[in-house]
Amino acid sequence: MAIIIAAQSGFFSATTTWIGATVPTPVDEAVANGFTVTITDDITVLSIRNDAAGVGATASGVFVMNTSGVTLNATYVVMTNTGAQTLISVT
């Protein structure tokens, strides 16, 4: 398992979106890091988050699913809003 942090806004599936050019896999946590990450394909990850994830990431950003029929499979979705953290378990 790894924590994969966005380097810039872009598509979830693009290597250029992520630090180290590594797209998150089913065993990884994906962190928005203050950027907008757009999901256009089915993905499976351990979690998506917009908090700091304890690794010095920026606690903001969004994941956008703007294509109908796209499936997100994640054990956890963690989103912060004005300092309050919401944890949603997704099955």
Side-chain angles (χ1 to χ4, degrees), residues 3-84:
I3 297 173
I4 311 297
I5 301 171
Q8 64 184 15
S9 293
F11 293 107
F12 189 96
S13 59
T15 57
T16 55
T17 302
W18 305 101
I19 292 174
T22 301
V23 175
T25 69
V27 297
D28 298 326
E29 296 187 60
V31 181
N33 194 29
F35 299 107
T36 299
V37 179
T38 304
I39 300 169
T40 57
D41 301 307
D42 294 346
I43 64 165
T44 299
V45 291
L46 178 62
S47 71
I48 61 170
R49 354 174 32 110
N50 76 343
D51 65 346
V55 294
T58 301
S60 67
V62 295
F63 288 88
V64 177
M65 296 177 73
N66 66 356
T67 304
S68 65
V70 172
T71 301
L72 164 65
N73 295 301
T75 302
Y76 298 102
V77 177
V78 180
M79 297 290 137
T80 58
N81 184 9
T82 62

